[in-house]
Amino acid sequence: MTPGTTVASGPSADLASALPADLSSTPSSLATTLGLERLPGATLAEVDAAAALQHRTDRKYLVPLESARALVERLADSHRVLDLDGRRTTTYLSTYFDTPRLGAWHAHVQGRRRRWKVRTRLYAEDGLCRVEVKTKDGRGATVKHALRAAPQSYGRLDAPSAEFVDDVLRRAGIPVTTADLAPAAEIRYVRVALADLRLGTRVTLDGGLSCHRDARTAALAPDVVLVETKGTARPAPADRLLLGLGARPVSLSKYIVGQSLLTPGLPDNDVRRLARTHFRPGSPIERSTAA
């Protein structure tokens, strides 16, 4: 199995031009639909500084597009939108790695203490690539480890990346090495990031979400947005607004959803049952290569 998108080296403009067809028009349409022009902008440094004020607790919601727009409108007085030189959305491509028997997927679905995820992530417009490993600490909290990588290494684990991943997994007591891993699925979406710089809470809204494995693909319904709040254990104002809009938190992992929907023979689970109401099968994956 190989990732759905091959990215060549070069400036970020070249990377953005290599975006898959399913994301080519999503950034501008999502920004317009959500009414992002209502919000003042914030720099990446400001958003990161605010996030550092809080120990992060994440809550996820699947909401209709109109509810997402209403949420943005009601947050306009307290939140700012991440603005990167006038661009208010970022395209994410994430390739997840797993064992031949999908050990990471099974560990998550079965709720094991030693859960883990390994992925390479490309922030397409910025030409930024990272290798990320998620593990659980002794208290059950998620710990993310990240390493900057060359954009052209997206979708694979080169020697420096493999050394980094092996070290993180070994220190976490997970009996898996990169020799056991191969690309298992690709997740694509466009993200909007909002931040309350005073309280240190954040909200992300993901549109155009799709999951890909080999020639199979499944996509979140175009009129549904995945909203995630990031703050303290106490619900943030955004959580209370979402509850008022009729949304309820869901337990959802993009990778777990993708594998659950696209890999034949996996046992049924709560994630798959949830996803079936919001995701739909798509056309065979389109592979694009930058010149």
Side-chain angles (χ1 to χ4, degrees), residues 9-262:
S9 58
S12 58
D14 292 339
L15 294 171
S17 68
L19 288 179
D22 57 352
L23 288 178
S24 59
S25 63
T26 304
S28 59
S29 61
L30 184 64
T32 300
T33 301
L34 293 179
L36 298 184
E37 71 281 354
R38 302 186 186 110
L39 277 69
T43 66
L44 181 60
E46 288 175 320
V47 172
D48 285 346
L53 298 176
Q54 302 286 1
H55 176 73
R56 197 172 94 173
T57 297
D58 298 345
R59 296 179 180 85
K60 298 178 182 179
Y61 306 81
L62 289 168
V63 304
L65 192 56
E66 284 306 310
S67 294
R69 180 180 175 88
L71 175 68
V72 170
E73 182 176 3
R74 296 175 191 184
L75 292 176
D77 291 337
S78 57
H79 286 61
R80 295 167 67 177
V81 59
L82 175 62
D83 189 300
L84 301 166
D85 296 325
R87 174 170 51 83
R88 296 191 163 194
T89 61
T90 299
T91 304
Y92 285 57
L93 303 177
S94 298
T95 293
Y96 287 80
F97 296 79
D98 211 333
T99 65
R101 295 189 176 183
L102 301 181
W105 184 92
H106 284 284
H108 187 100
V109 170
Q110 294 169 5
R112 298 178 195 167
R113 282 191 60 191
R114 291 184 176 177
R115 299 198 294 273
W116 55 277
K117 288 179 187 171
V118 175
R119 69 189 178 202
T120 58
R121 169 166 285 177
L122 180 70
Y123 303 81
E125 294 89 352
D126 304 306
L128 172 65
C129 181
R130 303 202 320 172
V131 180
E132 298 180 344
V133 184
K134 285 186 175 183
T135 61
K136 292 284 186 179
D137 64 17
R139 298 171 297 176
T142 299
V143 181
K144 183 190 289 186
H145 314 261
L147 174 73
R148 181 79 174 263
Q152 61 267 30
S153 69
Y154 168 72
R156 59 187 177 88
L157 297 174
D158 57 17
S161 300
E163 182 179 357
F164 167 74
V165 171
D166 285 342
D167 181 61
V168 172
L169 294 178
R170 177 183 53 79
R171 287 188 286 109
I174 296 169
V176 175
T177 70
T178 50
D180 306 315
L181 302 179
E186 185 181 61
I187 309 298
R188 310 170 180 173
Y189 56 96
V190 174
R191 170 163 289 185
V192 173
L194 312 180
D196 184 323
L197 302 186
R198 182 178 62 86
L199 295 180
T201 57
R202 291 179 293 158
V203 181
T204 60
L205 302 97
D206 297 339
L209 175 63
S210 60
C211 313
H212 307 264
R213 178 177 170 87
D214 297 324
R216 299 183 296 276
T217 180
L220 187 64
D223 57 350
V224 176
V225 175
L226 175 60
V227 179
E228 188 168 350
T229 63
K230 308 167 190 289
T232 65
R234 183 177 182 179
D239 293 293
R240 293 191 288 272
L241 287 172
L242 284 161
L243 291 173
L245 290 167
R248 295 296 180 267
V250 295
S251 177
L252 188 71
S253 160
K254 298 181 183 72
Y255 171 63
I256 302 307
V257 166
Q259 288 292 12
S260 297
L261 294 176
L262 299 176

